[in-house]
Amino acid sequence: MKKILVCFLAFALMMGILSGCGKDKEKEEKVTVDSLLEDAAENSKDIESFAVSVDSDVDLTISAQGVSVDLTGGFDCDFETDMESAHVTGSLVAKTYGVDEDESFEAYLVNDGDVMKTYQYRESEDEWVVSEEDADEASIDSIEIDKLMGLLSDDNSDLTLKDDLDEIEGEDAYLIEGSVSMQFLLDLFDEMNEELDSESIDEETSDYMDMFADMGDIDLDISLWIYKDSKLPAQIRMDFSDSLSAMLEEYMNIAGTGSTEDSDETTDETETDSGYSISSKTCEFTVTFSSYNDVDSIEVPQEVIDAAVEEDTDEASDFT
């Protein structure tokens, strides 16, 4: 569903609007996690467009009733928006049971008056489809970066600013490392939902949010790179490897299927009384901010409009 896509992209793309400052200013004012987050929140109000790349890396082993399945893969995509429309391209790669799957995707999301139109290319069917939703239910401009930065600033007690600068996209960047709680993500989605029509949150999405509400005290490892000169985000990486165990435990407790316990020193492994387990070697999610206020107006190519087949919104699928 398009509102889920927007929420996902908003989450994936908006979490890290941060940055640094120059050497001369450092002598006058000490750079801290708090100051970077505060400056980032203020600077983010002026963003009119941006482009990012998103990458994930997953290496899991799932076991049930004595049978284990290895799952490796991830996805990568490039996303750009002028805050009214967006264009995304990418690919999804997965390997399980020794079988490789690789599917490319492309989509345009366009605010058109009172509706949002989504043009999505389906590689498996080699066709473009178009669907519409009320703009109140799924809108690019529901993203408000300064609010997201305020939430991160409220949950920064376990974040530390490193002494040395790194280089991201050819520019110097500060590095902040530490952990944030799942509650940060829950609050983030709440902020986005408030910007949309509350009736647009479907029953399935609501059920998932209710389930995750009990996971607010689970910590996630996070790394934030902040451009030194512009005080805007360079890169954000969230590592779910160590937290998957606790997330599965909470899920199983909610589902009433039993308790879990860690059982592996080199991987994050959880096993329930019912015999279901998950072992995580890698589960990372990385967003790299490549440009700001440099995206031209996004328009859907005429050939895409002409080729698109209309699709009912309730039947629209994600890019998988």
Side-chain angles (χ1 to χ4, degrees):
M1 292 182 184
K2 301 307 165 291
K3 53 183 165 288
I4 295 178
L5 171 63
V6 171
C7 285
F8 164 74
L9 291 174
F11 156 66
L13 304 172
M14 295 301 102
M15 284 191 302
I17 305 300
L18 317 167
S19 190
C21 59
K23 291 183 179 179
D24 291 339
K25 186 175 180 180
E26 288 180 50
K27 295 178 181 178
E28 302 174 2
E29 181 180 353
K30 181 177 176 60
V31 177
T32 66
V33 172
D34 286 335
S35 69
L36 290 175
L37 292 175
E38 291 170 3
D39 289 343
E42 184 64 29
N43 290 346
S44 66
K45 297 177 182 179
D46 298 327
I47 293 177
E48 298 178 353
S49 69
F50 61 86
V52 302
S53 62
V54 184
D55 297 280
S56 71
D57 185 16
V58 175
D59 187 348
L60 309 174
T61 299
I62 303 174
S63 302
Q65 299 180 343
V67 178
S68 297
V69 177
D70 293 328
L71 174 62
T72 60
F75 70 89
D76 64 82
C77 73
D78 294 313
F79 175 91
E80 60 179 7
T81 179
D82 58 11
M83 307 308 289
E84 289 293 329
S85 304
H87 181 219
V88 57
T89 60
S91 63
L92 175 67
V93 179
K95 182 176 182 179
T96 185
Y97 292 110
V99 178
D100 292 325
E101 296 185 17
D102 187 348
E103 184 170 357
S104 298
F105 58 83
E106 181 175 9
Y108 292 89
L109 294 85
V110 182
N111 278 350
D112 186 6
D114 294 332
V115 301
M116 169 178 265
K117 291 184 178 180
T118 300
Y119 295 84
Q120 176 185 339
Y121 178 69
R122 294 182 175 174
E123 184 180 37
S124 59
E125 301 174 13
D126 190 25
E127 69 173 4
W128 284 90
V129 296
V130 59
S131 61
E132 294 184 1
E133 286 188 275
D134 290 342
D136 287 340
E137 298 182 4
S139 177
I140 295 295
D141 60 13
S142 66
I143 297 169
E144 292 192 28
I145 297 171
D146 57 314
K147 289 185 178 181
L148 302 183
M149 289 303 96
L151 291 175
L152 186 56
S153 181
D154 291 340
D155 193 16
N156 71 359
S157 60
D158 293 323
L159 299 178
T160 302
L161 177 63
K162 298 301 180 181
D163 293 332
D164 297 330
L165 293 173
D166 280 349
E167 186 174 298
I168 302 293
E169 296 289 300
E171 297 184 37
D172 287 339
Y174 291 106
L175 170 59
I176 297 173
E177 290 184 320
S179 64
V180 295
S181 68
M182 276 287 291
Q183 189 60 48
F184 164 69
L185 302 185
L186 297 172
D187 291 342
L188 185 153
F189 281 115
D190 284 343
E191 287 284 354
M192 289 186 292
N193 290 342
E194 288 180 4
E195 296 300 319
L196 301 174
D197 183 349
S198 60
E199 296 180 357
S200 70
I201 308 304
D202 59 36
E203 182 176 352
E204 181 180 4
T205 303
S206 179
D207 288 343
Y208 277 116
M209 295 304 297
D210 289 343
M211 179 186 71
F212 283 113
D214 293 325
M215 302 183 184
D217 59 349
I218 297 174
D219 288 334
L220 306 175
D221 293 331
I222 187 171
S223 300
L224 309 168
W225 285 266
I226 304 166
Y227 287 124
K228 181 172 179 285
D229 293 332
S230 66
K231 293 192 172 133
L232 289 171
Q235 190 174 90
I236 180 169
R237 178 178 300 150
M238 298 196 74
D239 188 346
F240 291 83
S241 302
D242 293 337
S243 60
L244 281 181
S245 172
M247 293 172 67
L248 180 62
E249 177 180 359
E250 190 62 42
Y251 173 80
M252 290 302 177
N253 288 337
I254 294 170
T257 57
S259 61
T260 64
E261 58 184 73
D262 293 333
S263 58
D264 194 301
E265 294 182 356
T266 58
T267 62
D268 186 24
E269 183 172 351
T270 300
E271 183 170 355
T272 70
D273 292 342
S274 61
Y276 178 87
S277 68
I278 181 170
S279 175
S280 170
K281 296 179 182 177
T282 304
C283 187
E284 290 185 344
F285 184 88
T286 304
V287 178
T288 303
F289 295 77
S290 56
S291 72
Y292 294 96
N293 301 326
D294 196 32
V295 176
D296 294 332
S297 178
I298 296 173
E299 298 182 2
V300 183
Q302 189 61 46
E303 56 266 30
V304 171
I305 296 175
D306 293 340
V309 178
E310 289 189 8
E311 179 183 55
D312 185 85
T313 302
D314 293 335
E315 298 177 356
S317 66
D318 293 332
F319 297 146
T320 58

